[in-house]
Amino acid sequence: MNNNIKGNANLKSPSGDLGVLIDGKAISDQVKQEIAAEVEAMVAAGKRRPHLAVIIVGHDGGSETYVAHKVKSCEQVGFTSTKIALEADVTEAELLAKIDQLNKNPELDGFIVQLPLPKHISEQKVIEAIDYRKDVDGFHPINVGRMSIGLPCYVSATPSGIIELLKRYEIPTVGKKCVVIGRSNIVGKPVASLMMQKGYPGDATVTVCHSRTSNLKKICLEADIIIAALGQPEFLTGDMVKPGAVIIDVGTTRVPSATTKSGFRLSGDVKFDEVAPKCSYITPVPGGVGPMTIVSLLKNTLLAAKGEVY
Ligand code: GUN
């Protein structure tokens, strides 16, 4: 355990063993401070501040909140940010023309197009239109492909955030059995790929489970590390977890709640009350993987500004 990490809470379990609550908020604050220090050093050396642009299309409430957080986080670390808001009826051609403009703008280190997009716009076409050298989301096939063969690239936010948490908590991965539940392009597949790569944090023996997997419980019970990323609230229950396992919960499903002002709360893919007493480390929802995702975007933008990837 890295004792420099503030805000750790030990979990109490009936057996008296103590697991560690992985504090994604504390780590994200720590990484933001590191990024801010680098930015100030760049500026002191006469360089311009890293510059991220975010395109948002339409008025989806969730997307507007995410984008507001991204813009605020840029401010916190001293980046320049530009928000480009387009109406929901923007045509695909107009959006692609805007992307072309940003691709060619030398004042911009990286940019993202917030997803999901309205139905009349092809997300894949949009992702592939972004110059991979400015694709700080890491969604372009060139970045995905380079990641999978271990070349320098922009790694997408959630997998990168998970890896950073494992690293900062010095959680052993080498030779460990890691089960990933979920096979999405933005979490399951890339995090499986990173966990099996040579070196730490990697060198794990990875099994990817999904909706058609048989014997899921048996497979999970053998796991030293479980990464739950299927988007099904409280799917992973206590009887599916080996004592001492490390649990990473990627779920963030909005479920109705009578006790919150907004009328909903975020639910993870892990039944926390059952699983937490059995495991050695666990990420809470909210406050685990979530805060790390924006930090990963900031890290990619800093790398882009420094020209360290391409
Ligand atoms: N929508 C939800 N998460 C993301 C993300 O990481 N990037 C983009 N562009 N859109 C998202």
Side-chain angles (χ1 to χ4, degrees):
M1 224 351 267
N2 181 345
N3 290 322
N4 294 325
I5 298 164
K6 286 188 216 129
N8 284 312
N10 283 331
L11 299 163
K12 293 188 175 55
S13 82
S15 65
D17 294 337
L18 292 175
V20 173
L21 191 62
I22 295 178
D23 190 339
K25 177 71 175 62
I27 305 288
S28 71
D29 288 346
Q30 194 180 67
V31 182
K32 276 184 192 168
Q33 281 171 22
E34 293 164 10
I35 295 173
E38 273 207 55
V39 171
E40 289 323 306
M42 283 171 78
V43 172
K47 299 201 177 104
R48 70 159 167 74
R49 292 179 182 276
H51 185 179
L52 172 74
V54 182
I55 300 181
I56 178 168
V57 180
H59 297 278
D60 174 80
S63 291
E64 285 187 328
T65 306
Y66 279 132
V67 167
H69 280 143
K70 288 173 184 177
V71 169
K72 186 171 163 223
S73 299
C74 282
E75 262 169 43
Q76 287 172 336
V77 298
F79 288 3
T80 306
S81 68
T82 302
K83 179 181 152 185
I84 300 163
L86 303 174
E87 285 306 322
D89 62 357
V90 68
T91 65
E92 186 178 275
E94 285 166 338
L95 178 57
L96 293 174
K98 179 50 85 177
I99 289 170
D100 190 46
Q101 223 180 55
L102 301 189
N103 281 341
K104 290 175 178 152
N105 182 348
E107 297 298 308
L108 204 56
D109 298 299
F111 68 97
I112 67 165
V113 179
Q114 186 67 23
L115 304 177
L117 290 171
K119 294 271 179 288
H120 65 280
I121 299 176
S122 158
E123 289 189 353
Q124 199 53 37
K125 226 188 230 182
V126 164
I127 288 168
E128 292 188 40
I130 297 171
D131 185 329
Y132 66 91
R133 292 164 298 188
K134 291 192 175 185
D135 167 41
V136 285
D137 252 338
F139 290 168
H140 191 287
I142 290 181
N143 280 312
V144 176
R146 289 176 67 94
M147 184 212 59
S148 81
I149 56 175
L151 292 176
C153 64
Y154 300 119
V155 178
S156 60
T158 306
S160 160
I162 293 168
I163 295 297
E164 191 68 34
L165 284 178
L166 294 172
K167 213 182 330 184
R168 299 246 171 181
Y169 274 82
E170 299 172 4
I171 293 172
T173 60
V174 178
K176 300 296 179 188
K177 286 185 183 165
C178 174
V179 168
V180 178
I181 313 174
R183 55 178 160 181
S184 70
N185 287 340
I186 61 170
V187 186
K189 280 183 205 161
V191 83
S193 177
L194 293 171
M195 291 298 290
M196 75 172 85
Q197 272 176 14
K198 276 188 194 258
Y200 179 80
D203 274 336
T205 303
V206 181
T207 304
V208 180
C209 297
H210 47 77
S211 53
R212 308 302 293 265
T213 298
S214 41
N215 297 326
L216 185 90
K217 181 175 168 182
K218 180 170 175 284
I219 295 168
C220 287
L221 276 168
E222 288 175 0
D224 302 303
I225 302 167
I226 298 179
I227 301 174
L230 70 160
Q232 204 167 304
E234 303 192 331
F235 175 85
L236 191 78
T237 47
D239 60 335
M240 298 168 80
V241 174
K242 177 171 85 169
V246 175
I247 308 295
I248 306 293
D249 188 351
V250 186
T252 49
T253 308
R254 285 180 175 198
V255 296
S257 166
T259 57
T260 60
K261 232 199 291 180
S262 60
F264 68 83
R265 63 178 176 85
L266 283 187
S267 172
D269 290 348
V270 176
K271 195 156 195 173
F272 188 87
D273 292 349
E274 282 183 22
V275 173
K278 295 186 78 172
C279 59
S280 56
Y281 292 88
I282 188 167
T283 60
V285 175
V289 174
M292 293 302 293
T293 59
I294 291 184
V295 156
S296 303
L297 175 66
L298 298 174
K299 277 176 67 180
N300 281 344
T301 306
L302 181 62
L303 286 174
K306 294 199 293 186
E308 284 188 357
V309 178
Y310 296 114

